[in-house]
Each structure stands twice: as structure tokens, then as C-alpha cells.
Amino acid sequence: MKADSWLWVDSASKVREAVEDMDQSLLIALDTEYDSLHYFREKLCLVQIRAAKRTYVFDPLNGIDLAFLRPYLADPRLLKITHAGDNDIRILKRDYNFEFNNLFDTQRAAHILGCRYLALSHIVERYLGVEIEKTKKMQRSKWELRPLSEGQLEYAVQDTVYLADLYRQLDERLCQRGMKDQARKVFEEMTAVSWREKTLDSLGHRKIKGYDTLTRDQQERLKRLYRWRFKKAKQTNRAMFLILSDQELLSLSKGKWQSDEELQSANILSSEKTNLYGCELGKTLSAAC
């Protein structure tokens, strides 16, 4: 990846450079990196925008106000290109109250054209003849940690590099097949999406492996533990599995603990989790008796 193909934006002067480039652009490619694995609510970690000259990597965690992007994303004359951009739009709306107009999504366009495999790497290879490597491991890396690795930066920048050329190829084929209006309707629906917080699956406890092996009382205890975990994850903005795993919930539902010491000696939870949650778990389990 060439050093001059992207710019890490961490100062007002670099923001001005990005703005000047976007002002001269007829279209921009947009992508984000966020952590939805470790948090209850997805945490936005990067915003990447490719304009006429290069890709600009904005760090929403370094204190730079990204509100200056609002008129560009809302401008109906400036085309915004995304790939599977639904969640990008939702999170940017949630965090910055942005409005989106004039969108082209390459994944949705490829789907309309009948593509079976819709990952960016597959579509880029099919329509542009370029092989790119996209791994789940990198996608799920800890994007909030700084500094980012060279591999992370290359991954983030690469997501925007091919979108403009891909748009031209896909748009031409949509025109040839008379599918432009169909695609336009899909893209307009995408701009209207909004972020919704996770809601409790009231029957989620029944989906935990081993539920059917429990007694009725134990199933009721599991139900209460499951609901406590959801509430705790929401309160602390941590992924539910980081609070307690499904198997930890199942094991806890089988016993009756009178104290943190008994819970600790049962060797179900780590000392850290027992210290953090022991009192609350005790109350939750007692209520289920």
C-alpha cells in the first residue's frame, strides 16, 4: 500500500486537506470500522473516506469532531459509495445524527445483478480482476486500540480503494439490464435505516445448549440469570459473553449458593467475576428459589 494513497487525519490541517479534496470530488467512497464483538452497543473506531486524491482515515476516538462531514453525506449531488453500508449508516446516524442522500451500495448492486457471492473480495475479483485478501480475524480485531497495526490500516484503507471503479462497472451493468430504477429504490431505502438498540430475547435462555437437561426450577433460575446478564451488558456496554458465557449461566443455574465463598469454591467463575458479580448473582438466584 503506497504511503501517499491514504492520510491519517489527526489534526485541523489534515481535516482541511480532506475537505479540499472532497470539495473537488464528484463521488466519495465511505467505510467504517467498528467493534460489535466486545460491546453491547457497537463502538465506532474508524471512518474511511476516499475522495479524488486519496483515502482519509478519521479517528473518532482522538477528539476530532467529525461534524464537518455532515454536508457531504447529505449532499444529493455528491455520490456516496458503500459496500454493505447499512450498519455504517446506522452507526454514523446514531453517533453524529448524519443524513444520507445519493447512495450507491456495491453489495446491493451485485445482489440485484444476480451475484451469488457478495463479499467485497469476491466482487472486486469478479468485476475488476483484482485479488484482495479480507480475513475475519482482521475484521474482528480490536479497532479501538492505538496505535493500529500496519495490517489494520491496510485493511481499512483497502475497503475504499476499489469502490469507485466497482461502482462504474456495476452501474453500467444495471443500466444495460434496465435495473437502475430497482437499484435506486434499494439505495434510497438504505439511506432511511436507523440504529436500534438490542432488545431482550425473552425466550433466549431456552436456546442455551443444555436447557432441556435442567429441572423446572433450574430452568427458571437460568431464565433469571439470562435476563440479569442482558441488563448488566446493557448497563456496562460490554458484550454479553464477556459478562458470563452461556455455559457459566447453565452451571450457575444448577446450584444454590449462599455466599461468595461458596460460589468461589464451586469453581464455576473466575475470582474476578465472582468479586464483580457475586452479590448480584446471589440476589438473582435467591429470587428464583
Side-chain angles (χ1 to χ4, degrees):
M1 183 174 61
K2 295 181 180 179
D4 62 355
S5 67
W6 63 278
L7 180 68
W8 178 264
V9 180
D10 58 0
S11 67
S13 61
K14 291 178 181 178
V15 168
R16 288 194 295 270
E17 183 175 345
V19 166
E20 290 174 3
D21 196 357
M22 287 189 288
D23 284 340
Q24 299 172 19
S25 302
L26 298 177
L27 57 83
I28 58 174
L30 170 69
D31 188 48
T32 72
E33 305 299 339
Y34 55 87
D35 189 335
S36 59
L37 179 62
H38 301 94
Y39 294 90
F40 184 85
R41 303 171 191 87
E42 307 92 337
K43 184 174 183 178
L44 181 65
C45 300
L46 285 182
V47 178
Q48 305 95 267
I49 292 181
R50 188 167 187 85
K53 294 180 179 179
R54 60 174 61 89
T55 295
Y56 299 91
V57 183
F58 301 96
D59 183 2
L61 306 181
N62 69 1
I64 290 183
D65 185 1
L66 299 184
F68 70 90
L69 293 174
R70 180 172 289 107
Y72 298 97
L73 300 178
D75 189 348
R77 298 165 299 178
L78 180 65
L79 179 65
K80 275 70 67 175
I81 309 168
T82 60
H83 182 82
D86 304 67
N87 277 340
D88 300 323
I89 292 170
R90 288 187 180 97
I91 293 171
L92 288 169
K93 281 186 174 183
R94 179 198 68 185
D95 289 358
Y96 298 99
N97 197 30
F98 287 155
E99 177 186 354
F100 288 82
N101 288 298
N102 194 5
L103 182 75
F104 186 103
D105 189 85
T106 54
Q107 186 195 61
R108 294 296 184 89
H111 178 70
I112 291 169
L113 290 168
C115 290
R116 182 177 178 183
Y117 301 105
L118 299 175
L120 181 60
S121 57
H122 290 296
I123 298 175
V124 167
E125 183 174 3
R126 174 171 178 173
Y127 289 100
L128 302 181
V130 178
E131 291 186 20
I132 60 175
E133 184 178 354
K134 303 286 290 181
T135 66
K136 286 288 186 182
K137 181 179 179 180
M138 188 62 71
Q139 182 185 22
R140 294 175 178 175
S141 63
K142 294 186 176 181
W143 290 102
E144 78 275 19
L145 298 182
R146 298 293 183 266
L148 295 171
S149 69
E150 183 177 341
Q152 286 176 303
L153 288 168
E154 184 170 357
Y155 179 98
V157 172
Q158 185 174 244
D159 278 353
T160 64
V161 167
Y162 300 102
L163 290 186
D165 289 338
L166 196 55
Y167 150 71
R168 296 182 183 98
Q169 292 289 329
L170 294 171
D171 189 58
E172 180 179 356
R173 285 164 174 76
L174 290 170
C175 288
Q176 291 171 350
R177 299 189 189 183
M179 295 177 167
K180 283 280 286 186
D181 288 341
Q182 179 185 351
R184 186 178 297 111
K185 182 179 180 180
V186 170
F187 302 151
E188 288 176 355
E189 290 174 350
M190 285 184 65
T191 64
V193 299
S194 58
W195 182 82
R196 294 287 185 270
E197 189 162 67
K198 295 182 183 74
T199 56
L200 175 70
D201 180 355
S202 60
L203 300 179
H205 61 288
R206 297 185 181 182
K207 301 172 185 176
I208 293 177
K209 186 176 180 180
Y211 173 81
D212 292 334
T213 68
L214 301 177
T215 66
R216 183 167 296 181
D217 285 345
Q218 290 170 342
Q219 288 176 350
E220 177 62 23
R221 289 156 65 85
L222 180 62
K223 174 181 176 181
R224 289 179 178 269
L225 287 168
Y226 182 85
R227 295 188 174 197
W228 170 85
R229 181 180 67 173
F230 180 88
K231 182 179 179 180
K232 195 68 178 179
K234 181 177 180 179
Q235 179 186 20
T236 59
N237 194 25
R238 298 186 72 206
M240 287 185 285
F241 78 91
L242 293 177
I243 303 295
L244 292 178
S245 69
D246 285 354
Q247 287 308 303
E248 286 172 332
L249 292 185
L250 190 75
S251 297
L252 286 168
S253 69
K254 295 178 180 179
K256 295 183 179 180
W257 324 110
Q258 302 301 317
S259 66
D260 289 0
E261 289 74 20
E262 289 185 11
L263 181 58
Q264 184 70 64
S265 64
N267 205 30
I268 295 173
L269 304 181
S270 66
S271 297
E272 180 184 8
K273 287 186 177 181
T274 300
N275 291 334
L276 282 172
Y277 310 129
C279 182
E280 293 180 57
L281 289 172
K283 291 178 181 179
T284 302
L285 290 168
S286 297
C289 295

